[in-house]
Amino acid sequence: GELGQMSVAAAAAASTSLWQAVEAPTVQCKFTQVVVGPGGWHVWAVDTTGCTHARIDVGIDNPAGASWQSVGGVNVSRLCISNSKVWAICANGDLVWRSNVTPRNPTGDYWKRIPGHFSDLSVTPDDVLWLIDTEGYAFRRETSVYQGSVSQAKRTPGASLDTWVVV
């Protein structure tokens, strides 16, 4: 990356260690969170303004990827990534997930919103969500999981986007 897009301390650390500096999308952009999916190919970050960014062209031949692409539409406070989705908590506490995130489409297509009042989240590789609401209670949610191709769209028994379990 360009040294003008990172602090002098970060540039010095990168030049004297095994750390690889990865430039920000702009000089003004500062990240608050970076998340890597279970497969290692999708890397997303949240900046100080709540904007999300997806790392493009991450792969075996280029593990740091080529560049960041901004992904608009929501103001995010927290991110997590499963095998097939990027999940986020918005600044207003709503839960959102990004549709059609794939290695060829690392930014996905659109956000799908689930109203709520959440403050933190985690997800398993197969989209079982764990959330903390703004009152400090934990919730577990088994989301819809499809087996096979999208055209087959066979729903896993017992899975529902409307199933919430308080734990």
Side-chain angles (χ1 to χ4, degrees):
E2 295 179 28
L3 295 182
Q5 292 188 345
M6 65 183 80
S7 71
V8 173
S15 67
T16 59
S17 73
L18 298 176
W19 290 98
Q20 179 182 357
V22 177
E23 79 284 349
T26 67
V27 175
Q28 297 82 17
C29 183
K30 305 290 185 232
F31 293 128
T32 59
Q33 184 186 20
V34 64
V35 182
V36 179
W41 59 264
H42 41 333
V43 177
W44 282 54
V46 179
D47 69 25
T48 55
T49 67
C51 293
T52 55
H53 307 269
R55 194 75 181 157
I56 305 301
D57 295 329
V58 175
I60 293 171
D61 295 333
N62 191 13
S67 63
W68 292 102
Q69 184 170 336
S70 293
V71 181
V74 294
N75 186 344
V76 168
S77 61
R78 301 288 299 158
L79 281 176
C80 65
I81 301 175
S82 68
N83 281 327
S84 62
K85 293 179 182 69
V86 174
W87 294 90
I89 295 178
C90 296
N92 68 357
D94 284 350
L95 176 68
V96 294
W97 58 274
R98 191 77 179 170
S99 172
N100 197 30
V101 177
T102 66
R104 288 202 165 145
N105 187 23
T107 61
D109 293 333
Y110 58 88
W111 292 105
K112 186 87 170 166
R113 184 176 307 269
I114 302 168
H117 299 286
F118 300 103
S119 61
D120 201 8
L121 77 165
S122 188
V123 68
T124 65
D126 58 345
D127 290 310
V128 176
L129 283 168
W130 285 83
L131 295 110
I132 306 288
D133 72 6
T134 54
E135 295 182 20
Y137 294 100
F139 291 84
R140 180 180 177 273
R141 182 176 184 161
E142 291 189 23
T143 62
S144 292
V145 178
Y146 293 98
Q147 297 176 336
S149 70
V150 174
S151 63
Q152 293 171 333
K154 294 182 181 175
R155 198 168 236 210
T156 299
S160 169
L161 280 176
D162 298 321
T163 304
W164 284 99
V165 178
V166 180
V167 283

